[in-house]
Amino acid sequence: MESTPFERLKRDFLKVQFEQWGTRASSIVAAVTTLLLLLLVYLFVDLMVYKGLVPKFAELSPARQREFVAEWSARPESDRNESIHRLTTNETMASRLAAGGELSPAPTVAEWELLWRSGIYLALKQRVGQAAADAYLPNAPTEPNAESPRLGILSLVARERNRWTGQFVGWIAGWNSWTWRPSSNGTPNLPYLTGLCILAFLLAALRGFVVAVQAYLAAAAKLDIVTRLRRAIYLHTYRLGSYSVRAVGTGEAEQLFTKQADAVGTGVHASLVSTYRYPLLVVGLLTLIMLVNFWLAVSFLMLAVLLWLIGGQLAAHFRQEGRRGNLQYESAVVLLVESLGLLRLVKCFQMERFNQNRVERQLAESNRAHWRKLRGQALSAPLLGSIALIAAVALLYLAGRSILGGESTVAGLAVMAVALALLGQPIAGWFDSRRKIQRGQEAADAIMEFLDRRGEAAEAADAEYLPALTTRLEFRHVTLKQPGSDKHLLENVSFAVPAGARVALVGHSLTEKRSLVCLIPRFMDPTSGEIRIEDKNIRWVTHESLRAQVALVMQDDLVFTDTVANNIGCGDPQYSLPQIIEAAKLAHAHQFIEKLSYGYETIIGEFGQSLRPGEQFRLALARALLRDPSILIIEEPAGTIDEDTLALLDDTLERAGHGRTIIFIANRLSTLRLVDRVFLLKNGYLEASGTHRDLWQNNEYYRRLQIVADATVEASAVKE
């Protein structure tokens, strides 16, 4: 069967095997130690209630007495004879009592006690061993009504001798004599109590340790898969040309990189933690509850289901009512606030009576909504509390009947109560884990769909080296569809730019202009048509040689959080600091860089020292000029920018632009007047081309665009 995307991501990206198996192993150990701690609670409560004493025959319930009579009659005569002679020297009575069957005459109270102690002797010998039986009955015969010694766990073995608990506890006692031997100073049960506390301490410490280890290893596994996923998404984003262009669609990649990758990591964390731990705990606790008293456990579970079906749904209904009432109340309060703010309007148009009536209606509506909200909130919690109280009373009644009938012990019911209380945590944790895994599966679907996409601008195996532009750049019938849809960003665009020319792109859609210039360095490939540089189709040249000839200054990527030197040099070791400084001087950025706190080592960007838009633009221009490209693409700032920066920009381009082909995404009228040619895009088509003067005189759409652009600039200037 084909695995799900979530399982594929776990298989392909989760490489830390030790952390995976360590998390699973620690989950199992944590569940087992919890169950063992419950067993110690059972033994501790039993010791506190019975104090290590075996009850007398007269203290047994009638049902337990009849059970013992049947048990005694079924024992071999040799066993009965041995145990009776350990307790009495009266041969006649010993022979009669050891015979079994119907005793005639009927035994006295003292004789029944003697038989009872003989039976316990044989049970301890069978379940634990001869040493435990001898500790219960001293070597010398004793009186039948003599006080039994306090022997810790042997009391439980004797009382539960015919049940699974007696067999299991007897096996424990056979291997651990400290559970029933008195201490050297004669203090009853002290070694047993001390041992229980030491074991509980060790188990609690072990459980705390493995839970911490589990959390640590699960977190390490989550970190590993999230890191690998983000690295894969990052690398694949740059394989997919369309996703390298912010205007076209890196939003999806950003969501995958952040929220979706984290959701997968959280799902993996939940699956590692919950796969074994919660099911083991739930099964173990339910099994323990059933073993304590099967019918009592079944009765309680049926009662819990019934109460949930009735009371739980009622409580959910009232909670829903409270939420609906809260929404209505908030809407009503908004209207009341609006009425309160109509003071001038009311006075001006003498609307006092009308507005007073509106306020009264709104007050009535808000009161009804507020009452619905308060009623829902007030009834849901008490209803749940009442349901829980009813269930507790019913459980206490059933538990009381079970104890009075001799079917259960106080220790067993205490363990059942603790187990029931603990049962809620793994069930809630399991449901929470399922929700996290479900979100992780949904995120995995999106990530796998993204990673399975083929790159749009792959480099050919026999790609050629592209020299610097010396003749022309040409677009031939280029069409581009928007990724993920059938919308055309460009449609049959053809034009040529001579080497060394300065041209500008104008149009209403920024996405169209950005898409066109991003085709040149092959951030994406056209749907049809071709782009040629030096009469070479750029599909068949190497990425490295192509991008060495093309530099972009785009408004979305001016600076990033790092030092000024790294912002200009991009961490490339081939550029020395003197070269970086020369590029900064050429872009007129050196002067303000020297005034920063640490000069070229100053951290700038979103999480560093802030720079003005003009300063950011000059840094980006220095980055582009440092690479000495033959094609320079510049997106001019759309908003207002200080005149000094504009003058410096013009000076930079005048000095550095000689011999370069410069393509502007123009936003300034002065730029349009200076370029050699303007290309006008409209709805993806090349509407017109020519000088600024020609287009202004002959193209109405071009004139409207410039008028709107000038009005926008003036409005921005006024706002500033």
Side-chain angles (χ1 to χ4, degrees):
M1 190 173 82
E2 187 177 354
S3 60
T4 64
F6 184 71
E7 294 300 325
R8 285 178 60 193
L9 287 183
K10 285 177 63 177
R11 182 184 67 243
D12 296 340
F13 290 92
L14 187 58
K15 302 299 184 181
V16 283
Q17 296 297 325
F18 173 77
E19 282 78 358
Q20 291 184 66
W21 290 109
T23 302
R24 296 185 179 111
S26 57
S27 297
I28 295 172
V29 174
V32 171
T33 51
T34 301
L35 297 175
L36 290 177
L37 282 170
L38 276 178
L39 175 61
L40 292 182
V41 169
Y42 177 81
L43 298 177
F44 179 81
V45 174
D46 182 82
L47 178 62
M48 295 300 99
V49 173
Y50 291 97
K51 300 180 177 61
L53 292 173
V54 177
K56 296 181 179 297
F57 183 79
E59 297 172 353
L60 301 178
S61 65
R64 287 295 183 95
Q65 289 179 350
R66 290 191 296 271
E67 178 186 337
F68 170 72
V69 172
E71 174 191 343
W72 178 258
S73 300
R75 287 190 177 278
E77 185 175 350
S78 58
D79 290 345
R80 296 196 298 263
N81 188 61
E82 175 196 354
S83 60
I84 289 295
H85 280 87
R86 289 290 307 273
L87 288 166
T88 182
T89 56
N90 187 331
E91 291 295 333
T92 302
M93 182 178 67
S95 299
R96 183 172 67 87
L97 295 177
E102 294 292 333
L103 298 178
S104 183
T108 63
V109 173
E111 289 174 340
W112 275 122
E113 186 63 33
L114 187 145
L115 290 174
W116 166 249
R117 298 189 67 184
S118 300
I120 296 301
Y121 169 82
L122 293 174
L124 292 176
K125 180 180 177 182
Q126 179 184 359
R127 300 289 185 225
V128 184
Q130 185 63 53
D134 292 340
Y136 175 70
L137 292 183
N139 292 328
T142 60
E143 294 298 324
N145 58 354
E147 178 71 23
S148 297
R150 302 188 180 195
L151 298 175
I153 202 171
L154 295 185
S155 170
L156 179 59
V157 177
R159 287 179 281 106
E160 302 290 323
R161 62 196 180 281
N162 296 325
R163 295 175 173 81
W164 72 270
T165 49
Q167 299 177 20
F168 177 69
V169 176
W171 176 80
I172 294 176
W175 286 92
N176 300 275
S177 61
W178 57 268
T179 59
W180 47 270
R181 292 189 186 278
S183 60
S184 57
N185 60 5
T187 305
N189 303 315
L190 185 58
Y192 180 41
L193 177 63
T194 304
L196 288 179
C197 291
I198 292 174
L199 281 177
F201 174 80
L202 293 176
L203 283 175
L206 175 61
R207 184 183 181 280
F209 174 75
V210 297
V211 168
V213 168
Q214 178 195 46
Y216 178 84
L217 295 179
K222 174 183 177 180
L223 180 62
D224 177 72
I225 192 171
V226 169
T227 302
R228 293 177 185 273
L229 279 176
R230 285 176 173 164
R231 183 179 294 116
I233 293 168
Y234 170 82
L235 294 174
H236 199 62
T237 298
Y238 283 85
R239 294 189 193 103
L240 297 175
S242 60
Y243 290 94
S244 297
V245 188
R246 190 179 303 271
V248 177
T250 53
E252 179 191 18
E254 291 169 1
Q255 286 289 322
L256 296 173
F257 192 80
T258 54
K259 294 182 180 179
Q260 304 289 45
D262 193 63
V264 171
T266 302
V268 169
H269 182 280
S271 68
L272 290 176
V273 170
S274 64
T275 300
Y276 297 102
R277 180 181 177 184
Y278 294 142
L280 273 177
L281 269 179
V282 171
V283 171
L285 291 172
L286 286 176
T287 302
L288 188 61
I289 292 169
M290 295 291 185
L291 289 175
V292 169
N293 190 306
F294 178 80
W295 292 111
L296 179 61
V298 169
S299 300
F300 174 77
L301 292 176
M302 291 179 63
L303 179 64
V305 170
L306 182 63
L307 290 174
W308 177 80
L309 289 174
I310 299 175
Q313 299 307 309
L314 284 174
H317 168 74
F318 283 115
R319 282 197 301 268
Q320 185 68 20
E321 282 289 296
R323 285 192 289 268
R324 290 173 181 169
N326 186 52
L327 292 175
Q328 294 176 353
Y329 176 68
E330 289 176 353
S331 299
V333 169
V334 169
L335 291 175
L336 282 169
V337 172
E338 181 193 53
S339 297
L340 185 63
L342 297 178
L343 177 62
R344 285 191 296 250
L345 187 65
V346 169
K347 287 183 176 293
C348 180
F349 292 94
Q350 301 182 24
M351 296 167 51
E352 287 85 355
R353 181 169 304 217
F354 171 77
N355 201 51
Q356 178 64 34
N357 292 334
R358 287 180 70 250
V359 169
E360 292 297 333
R361 290 196 304 271
Q362 291 165 358
L363 282 173
E365 181 62 29
S366 70
N367 286 340
R368 285 193 296 270
H370 202 185
W371 170 244
R372 187 179 186 184
K373 168 189 172 182
L374 294 176
R375 181 182 60 189
Q377 293 176 345
L379 292 180
S380 59
L383 185 59
L384 284 176
S386 300
I387 292 170
L389 186 59
I390 291 171
V393 171
L395 180 62
L396 285 175
Y397 173 75
L398 295 174
R401 290 200 59 170
S402 177
I403 291 177
L404 293 176
E407 300 173 1
S408 301
T409 63
V410 175
L413 291 175
V415 169
M416 178 182 284
V418 174
L420 288 171
L422 292 177
L423 196 57
Q425 190 270 335
I427 291 176
W430 187 79
F431 278 111
D432 182 63
S433 297
R434 295 310 305 169
R435 286 193 295 269
K436 291 177 180 177
I437 292 173
Q438 180 62 35
R439 295 193 195 103
Q441 289 172 340
E442 294 170 358
D445 291 340
I447 291 175
M448 286 305 301
E449 190 275 331
F450 177 78
L451 294 179
D452 286 340
R453 296 178 193 171
R454 296 181 61 185
E456 299 174 8
E459 183 176 297
D462 56 348
E464 301 179 57
Y465 174 81
L466 178 69
L469 177 64
T470 58
T471 56
R472 66 177 182 173
L473 162 69
E474 185 178 4
F475 276 61
R476 293 184 180 178
H477 307 291
V478 170
T479 296
L480 176 66
K481 286 184 179 180
Q482 185 173 18
S485 73
D486 293 329
K487 179 183 177 182
H488 283 75
L489 297 174
L490 300 174
E491 184 72 34
N492 197 28
V493 174
S494 297
F495 64 87
V497 179
R502 298 187 182 189
V503 300
L505 299 174
V506 295
H508 177 73
S509 173
L510 179 61
T511 300
E512 293 175 2
K513 293 180 288 185
R514 285 181 172 179
S515 299
L516 189 146
V517 298
C518 287
L519 288 171
I520 299 172
R522 287 197 72 200
F523 293 158
M524 51 187 168
D525 282 335
T527 308
S528 63
E530 62 182 19
I531 303 166
R532 305 185 73 84
I533 297 177
E534 296 297 285
D535 206 31
K536 293 179 182 287
N537 189 332
I538 63 173
R539 283 181 182 267
W540 311 111
V541 301
T542 64
H543 285 168
E544 183 179 3
S545 62
L546 171 63
R547 291 168 185 171
Q549 301 304 322
V550 182
L552 288 86
V553 179
M554 307 295 285
Q555 291 302 307
D556 286 333
D557 304 303
L558 294 178
V559 296
F560 52 89
T561 303
D562 209 315
T563 63
V564 172
N566 282 339
N567 264 270
I568 298 175
C570 298
D572 193 332
Q574 69 172 309
Y575 300 117
S576 63
L577 183 59
Q579 290 175 299
I580 292 173
I581 294 174
E582 284 302 315
K585 288 179 178 178
L586 184 59
H588 293 289
H590 179 70
Q591 292 82 358
F592 77 81
I593 293 173
E594 285 191 317
K595 296 177 182 179
L596 297 176
S597 305
Y598 300 97
Y600 283 84
E601 294 303 313
T602 304
I603 302 294
I604 60 173
E606 183 178 357
F607 301 102
Q609 185 169 335
S610 61
L611 300 177
R612 293 194 298 272
E615 294 171 338
Q616 295 182 28
F617 186 80
R618 278 180 273 168
L619 280 182
L621 188 59
R623 180 192 306 135
L625 295 175
L626 177 63
R627 281 142 186 83
D628 192 24
S630 60
I631 301 173
L632 181 59
I633 299 170
I634 298 176
E635 180 185 359
E636 292 187 320
T640 56
I641 194 167
D642 58 277
E643 292 297 327
D644 291 340
T645 297
L646 295 177
L648 293 174
L649 170 62
D650 292 338
D651 179 71
T652 297
L653 295 177
E654 182 65 30
R655 292 187 295 118
H658 180 70
R660 302 183 201 276
T661 303
I662 303 179
I663 301 174
F664 291 95
I665 298 179
N667 290 300
R668 291 193 300 157
L669 188 59
S670 60
T671 301
L672 297 175
R673 289 169 177 166
L674 293 175
V675 297
D676 302 314
R677 198 165 190 82
V678 178
F679 296 102
L680 175 63
L681 294 173
K682 179 181 180 182
N683 298 326
Y685 291 90
L686 182 59
E687 173 77 5
S689 66
T691 65
H692 167 68
R693 179 187 296 273
D694 292 338
L695 292 177
W696 182 265
Q697 292 176 350
N698 302 318
N699 193 290
E700 183 180 354
Y701 178 64
Y702 181 80
R703 287 197 300 271
R704 288 203 307 267
L705 280 179
Q706 299 315 310
I707 292 170
V708 171
D710 290 343
T712 303
V713 171
E714 290 179 7
S716 300
V718 171
K719 185 177 180 180
E720 291 292 330

